[in-house]
Amino acid sequence: MPIKAYDLTGRTAFITGAASGIGRASAVLLAEAGATVHCADRDEKGLQQTADLIAAAGGSPARTHTLDVTDRAQLAEAVRSTGPRLDILAAVAGIMHNSSVLETRDEDLDRVLAVNFKGVLYACQEAARKMIADATPHGSIITMASGAMDSATPGLLCYSTAKAAVVQLTKTLAAELGPHSIRANAVAPGWVRTPMTDRHDEAHQQRIESAMVRRSPLGRVGEPDDVAHAVLHLASDASAFTTGQILRPNGGVAMPW
């Protein structure tokens, strides 16, 4: 049982990207803390696996929503279905794309921005509208940025640009939603083992991970649970006086002011 400030009993959370990786870990952890969790993703099978994990851990039954975050109508319908009050949004869904600046095509940038920025924007808009209408007393919106925005990584123009835009969106939301007692914060993970980062052959993957380990003062890469605990903190009353901030579970790879 979590300590009081982290107890989410009676609260409802909506999580995008919940079929795997950080989204799944966040859904399971928030349910463990007592929240009723709505899991959204394009991957129907993965969503069911997440719901099964929540049930196996003794959490309240999770609801699943098979949808595309770039479809505002689908998102709006799912958010409205969360019941009399929505307390927490964790907008985690995202995709990766690799191309140099000179090789980036319009369709590459459009696809990444559609999912990683517009998908987050739509989720935030729909959740905030519901929180305001329901007079949610302690609303918390959590977006997923990335450590990629803290460095200039060759090949990650589309991804890092979209994630930087998510941070600006989050800060603006914090300023606009504060009078409604709704907080907005971003999580900017470092390199984390997820299906999204596991996209190379085994040897190449090992080289990338070894490089990330060398860069971290802690001498390791992240796991989805490392980021999920940051999401739980921002979702809970433990961060009641925190808004417009970027929480960086990155193993010390980046230490910006």
Side-chain angles (χ1 to χ4, degrees):
M1 188 66 182
I3 62 173
K4 186 176 180 180
Y6 288 96
D7 187 355
L8 301 180
T9 301
R11 301 190 192 184
T12 300
F14 189 93
I15 302 174
T16 69
S20 64
I22 293 169
R24 170 178 287 175
S26 298
V28 172
L29 188 60
L30 294 191
E32 184 181 338
T36 297
V37 177
H38 288 250
C39 301
D41 203 291
R42 294 178 60 183
D43 180 359
E44 186 174 6
K45 182 179 179 181
L47 282 177
Q48 188 55 54
Q49 291 171 344
T50 300
D52 291 344
L53 287 170
I54 290 171
S60 298
R63 284 195 57 187
T64 61
H65 305 269
T66 305
L67 57 79
D68 186 331
V69 295
T70 67
D71 188 321
R72 183 195 291 276
Q74 289 184 350
L75 261 176
E77 181 179 0
V79 168
R80 285 195 297 266
S81 75
T82 56
R85 197 180 77 200
L86 177 63
D87 301 278
I88 301 155
L89 167 71
V92 181
I95 59 173
M96 290 284 287
H97 173 77
N98 286 83
S99 64
S100 71
V101 174
L102 298 185
E103 295 171 338
T104 296
R105 303 169 301 172
D106 286 352
E107 52 264 40
D108 299 329
L109 183 59
D110 290 346
R111 182 171 62 91
V112 176
L113 287 177
V115 177
N116 291 9
F117 179 68
K118 284 188 175 181
V120 175
L121 172 64
Y122 296 163
C124 290
Q125 287 175 323
E126 298 305 329
R129 287 178 180 129
K130 181 167 175 56
M131 289 177 182
I132 293 170
D134 297 343
T136 301
H138 35 227
S140 177
I141 291 175
I142 302 145
T143 62
M144 197 58 53
S146 170
M149 68 183 187
D150 290 322
S151 61
T153 304
L156 289 186
L157 167 71
C158 298
Y159 182 78
S160 57
T161 298
K163 292 300 186 177
V166 165
V167 168
Q168 192 58 45
L169 164 65
T170 306
K171 292 179 179 181
T172 305
L173 278 172
E176 294 180 354
L177 299 179
H180 298 282
S181 299
I182 300 169
R183 299 180 295 110
N185 294 283
V187 178
W191 203 91
V192 178
R193 288 193 185 105
T194 70
M196 187 173 74
T197 58
D198 185 12
R199 62 191 193 281
H200 304 287
D201 65 78
E202 185 175 352
H204 190 189
Q205 195 72 20
Q206 184 59 46
R207 287 196 296 272
I208 293 173
E209 186 166 319
S210 296
M212 294 299 109
V213 167
R214 289 193 297 271
R215 291 178 60 191
S216 169
L218 295 180
R220 70 175 180 90
V221 296
E223 300 291 346
D225 279 348
D226 293 317
V227 186
H229 279 87
V231 172
L232 171 61
H233 176 69
L234 294 174
S236 74
D237 289 344
S239 61
F241 195 50
T242 302
T243 196
Q245 305 303 310
I246 308 167
L247 187 55
R248 289 177 166 88
N250 63 15
V253 170
M255 303 182 189
W257 286 95

